[in-house]
Amino acid sequence: VFAVAGEQAVDTLALLGLAATTNQGGEAGAAQIALYLAPIFQEVAVSAKAVPELMPDAEQEPEVSPSEAPNVLKPLLVIWGDNDPKGSDFANELHKLCLTHRIPHVILDPLLVWSGMPKKGDCKDWVDWCRSQSMSDEEILIRLELAIEAAIDSAEEDSGYRLQRNNWNAPTSWKGEIGKWIQPKEGNPY
């Protein structure tokens, strides 16, 4: 499921056969999206755990547990904000809300999807550009899938760095590079 800003973006993704949502007010309503999707994602996650993988006979025990099965539905919210500060704020706000509501998600950076993304550009601009390059819907979906996989890889890498920082009780860092240690005004706690 994609969370995007505006009905045009939703319609564009729907024409590609993808599920997308937005809210009235576009990027101003990240909370509405999170509150609406949280129970749906929780229900899908519970249902996915209960469905055995490829059971030809209903009375036969599954050969693999649902959590190990590769084809069990694993819901993911793909947050795709516009290419502007408002879009970035929307993505970051929805990211925090997804963490709070335990919604599996990833943020798709518009410039990593298409380095030529115009200011304030969105998924509609990208799809229009792809079509102007004579790409088929299948090619567009493959490119989008690759961008999502790259975003997932990046999020997993960043998560590892956060765990490393927390284990060390280290200050904020970026890509594993430790930032400046700030000594408190009174005394040295180390």
Side-chain angles (χ1 to χ4, degrees):
V1 176
F2 289 81
V4 294
E7 288 81 6
Q8 269 191 331
V10 170
D11 292 342
T12 298
L13 294 174
L15 289 173
L16 291 171
L18 302 170
T21 188
T22 191
N23 60 289
Q24 191 172 21
E27 293 167 322
Q32 291 174 349
I33 292 173
L35 290 172
Y36 175 74
L37 290 178
I40 296 169
F41 271 73
Q42 289 166 2
E43 170 125 1
V44 170
V46 168
S47 297
K49 289 178 183 174
V51 176
E53 174 67 12
L54 300 174
M55 282 183 45
D57 181 13
E59 295 181 21
Q60 182 183 4
E61 288 295 318
E63 294 180 19
V64 258
S65 72
S67 61
E68 296 169 335
N71 295 323
V72 171
L73 177 62
K74 296 175 184 166
L76 178 70
L77 179 65
V78 179
I79 303 168
W80 192 346
D82 292 352
N83 184 31
D84 58 17
K86 194 173 177 182
S88 179
D89 291 347
F90 162 74
N92 290 326
E93 180 184 351
L94 188 50
H95 162 72
K96 290 174 187 171
L97 291 163
C98 286
L99 291 173
T100 301
H101 294 285
R102 303 184 75 163
I103 299 171
H105 67 285
V106 67
I107 297 174
L108 202 54
D109 182 342
L111 291 174
L112 293 179
V113 175
W114 175 32
S115 61
M117 180 77 73
K119 290 281 185 198
K120 298 186 179 188
D122 63 6
C123 65
K124 181 181 181 330
D125 296 308
W126 177 70
V127 171
D128 289 346
W129 174 80
C130 288
R131 290 199 170 122
S132 77
Q133 303 299 305
S134 302
M135 287 185 212
S136 68
D137 285 357
E138 184 177 340
E139 290 170 311
I140 293 170
L141 291 171
I142 289 169
R143 284 178 177 251
L144 184 55
E145 184 177 341
L146 291 172
I148 293 168
E149 287 176 8
I152 291 169
D153 290 345
S154 178
E156 287 173 346
E157 185 178 317
D158 289 344
S159 175
Y161 291 135
R162 278 193 301 277
L163 288 173
Q164 182 179 355
R165 278 195 316 272
N166 290 342
N167 288 339
W168 293 345
N169 196 25
T172 303
S173 68
W174 184 79
K175 299 283 184 190
E177 296 294 323
I178 303 255
K180 179 180 176 185
W181 289 87
I182 301 173
Q183 185 173 3
K185 292 181 182 180
E186 296 183 24
N188 185 350
Y190 309 106

